[in-house]
Amino acid sequence: MSCLPKGNQTVISWFLLLGLPIPPERQHLFYALFLAMYLTTVLGNLLIIILIQLDSHLHTPMYSLLSNLSFSDLCFSSVTMPKLLQNMQSQDPSIPYAGCLAQMYFFLLFGDLESFLLVAMAYDRYVAICFPLRYTSIMSPKLCVGLVVLSWVLTTFHAMLHTLLMARLSFCDNNVIPHFFCDMSALLKLSCSDTHVNELVIFITGCFILVIPFVLIVVSYARIVSSILKVPSARGIRKAFSTCGSHLSVVSLFYGTVIGLYLCSSGNPSTVKESVMAITYTMVTPMLNPFIYSLRNRDMKRALGRVICKKKMMV
């Protein structure tokens, strides 16, 4: 049963996730693709976390933040991907009301956490390049831990706020979510309660959680480029682009799709467009981050070599 009677209303206790608009004959192809993407995300981020924990040379503020970002990416992808893969193979794409709220909570938690960690990483690179002699004193272990703890506190509060506001709403009649996960905007469209408060809070907190961090990241990398280009040389230009180019591409991919989806969407958004944008920041970005931020890094490659050598010596 998907509904329970309450007075003269029918209150929904289950939702149906409609999933992605994929033709039936291509379901297996996309299932294999999404499974490969998810496994790549899990293995790539786990490798980064393990390497940073095992190699003492990587016990620095930058790699501490990278480790937390990898954990955030791993959890962020795991909130939606296993359920999507299960539903693509199942004839019963249902999710209980409590499970839907829980998925929404953890989706917001780890999505917000990534946003704040990207800001902390941009600040770390700004200090390292613009104030190299003071890097150790500025980016102290205490500050690094403080940035991570502050990120967790703020994101926990934000996710809990939206979850509690969603829990006060009523859902009647229609229980079909035209999405592959319990997206907050999709749930608001199904509610038969007044959602103006929810929408106002989404807009206000969205500016704080998404727009301000994005601006801070852009400013940090702009200062980095400006600092490097003060000494004009081909080597300096290469260093600027290698430091900022790939990072900003992933940052733009993540923030661009999220801001476009939640803060700049039109009154009648396309379901296909929403799905593609959601796939970009829930699947593609967590999968690319290990390659962009770490696995192409020389320190990470050296750490992998040292760990492998230690294992061989133990054998």
Side-chain angles (χ1 to χ4, degrees), residues 125-133 219-233 235-237 239-241 243-244:
R125 292 298 84 204
Y126 164 71
V127 174
I129 293 176
C130 297
F131 305 98
L133 299 179
V219 170
S220 296
Y221 283 120
R223 295 289 296 273
I224 291 172
V225 174
S226 175
S227 176
I228 293 175
L229 295 183
K230 284 180 181 178
V231 183
S233 67
R235 184 172 178 270
I237 294 175
K239 185 178 180 181
F241 279 105
T243 301
C244 307

Side-chain angles (χ1 to χ4, degrees), residues 126-148:
Y126 164 71
V127 174
I129 293 176
C130 297
F131 305 98
L133 299 179
R134 298 173 54 197
Y135 176 77
T136 305
S137 59
I138 296 176
M139 289 302 297
S140 63
K142 184 177 180 180
L143 176 62
C144 189
V145 171
L147 290 174
V148 173

